[in-house]
Amino acid sequence: MPPKKGGKKKKEEASGGDEAGAPLTAEESAKMYAASCTSLQMQLADRTETMNAAKEEQRVLEQRCAKISDELEAEQKTAFDITRDMTRQYKGMQEQLIDRIEALSHTVQELQDKLEEATAQHDATLREKDRVIQLKDDEIADMKARMEDMAAEFGGMLKETLDKMRERIEISSSTIDMEPVALGGAALAGGGPALATAAAKGAGSSVTGPPPRTSSSAGGPLPAVGAAESVAAKI
């Protein structure tokens, strides 16, 4: 503790008194020195107490600083471990993603190549299909033209054949109709009523009998010949 101001004043007064008055005696000097010693001891005790409190506070602060330093070091170590783990995981994920991207890029390239190949094959198939269809259309048109030509030729041949058959049938029919008349005339001219009567009977039987197979009862063409004529007319 700081010395009291009253003591200083007394001391000054005493010294002043000494200076002004007679010198101090040994007893008074001893008392004065004892008072000074007591004052210094009190100051020493006060300073020692203050120093001890400061040291205690320093020790507490040092402990807190050490604790905080340990905590900081532990946090730094934890942060370093986490950062190292995260970095390792990041690098591993990055490598996996790079490998996956490369694999997907190869897959995409392969699919693009296959698509281009399929497109080219499709275009070639379409062109081949158009070519085959054109060839078939040409063949069909050619065959239709040939069929029409053959139908026209066949129609002409059939008509010509039917005309010839009609002429022959007419000639055969007229020849068959004229044979009884010729036979009757020969009998009358050659010799006698008996032959004429026989010729007349033969002519009557030929007229009243069944018609010949080469002609109809009216003297026209056969039904088969009529059907052929109708077919030729349609063609």
Side-chain angles (χ1 to χ4, degrees):
M1 290 178 65
K4 295 181 179 180
K5 295 181 179 180
K8 289 183 178 181
K9 288 181 179 180
K10 288 180 180 180
K11 188 177 180 180
E12 290 175 355
E13 288 177 357
S15 61
D18 294 338
E19 291 176 357
L24 294 175
T25 63
E27 186 179 356
E28 289 177 351
S29 298
K31 289 181 179 180
M32 184 183 65
Y33 290 134
S36 297
C37 182
T38 302
S39 176
L40 292 173
Q41 287 179 354
M42 292 176 64
Q43 290 182 7
L44 179 62
D46 190 13
R47 298 286 179 87
T48 303
E49 185 179 358
T50 303
M51 184 183 67
N52 291 331
K55 285 183 178 181
E56 182 65 21
E57 186 177 359
Q58 181 182 2
R59 186 179 63 80
V60 172
L61 290 176
E62 287 178 352
Q63 290 179 355
R64 290 182 63 186
C65 288
K67 184 178 180 181
I68 292 172
S69 297
D70 294 337
E71 292 178 354
L72 178 62
E73 185 178 357
E75 291 292 333
Q76 288 179 349
K77 184 178 180 181
T78 303
F80 178 76
D81 294 337
I82 293 173
T83 304
R84 183 178 60 187
D85 293 338
M86 293 296 293
T87 304
R88 181 176 53 81
Q89 293 179 4
Y90 172 76
K91 289 182 179 180
M93 292 177 63
Q94 186 178 14
E95 291 177 357
Q96 292 178 359
L97 290 175
I98 290 172
D99 295 337
R100 187 175 180 183
I101 289 170
E102 291 178 355
L104 292 175
S105 299
H106 289 260
T107 305
V108 169
Q109 186 63 37
E110 290 178 358
L111 292 175
Q112 286 180 352
D113 296 338
K114 290 182 179 178
L115 178 62
E116 292 176 357
E117 184 178 357
T119 303
Q121 290 180 357
H122 178 68
D123 295 339
T125 304
L126 290 178
R127 289 193 297 270
E128 183 66 19
K129 184 256 299 179
D130 295 336
R131 187 183 67 82
V132 172
I133 290 174
Q134 186 64 35
L135 289 175
K136 296 299 181 182
D137 291 338
D138 295 340
E139 290 180 0
I140 291 171
D142 189 15
M143 292 179 68
K144 284 183 178 180
R146 292 174 62 185
M147 289 174 64
E148 291 176 357
D149 294 339
M150 291 175 66
E153 184 178 358
F154 178 74
M157 293 173 62
L158 184 59
K159 184 177 181 182
E160 184 179 357
T161 303
L162 291 174
D163 291 340
K164 290 181 180 181
M165 290 176 65
R166 187 182 295 107
E167 291 177 359
R168 291 181 181 180
I169 290 169
E170 289 177 356
I171 292 171
S172 299
S173 178
S174 62
T175 303
I176 292 171
D177 292 338
M178 290 178 65
E179 282 180 357
V181 177
L183 291 173
L188 292 173
L195 294 174
T197 302
K201 289 180 179 181
S205 65
S206 64
V207 173
T208 57
R213 297 180 64 184
T214 57
S215 63
S216 63
S217 61
L222 294 174
V225 177
E229 288 179 353
S230 64
V231 172
K234 288 181 180 180
I235 294 174

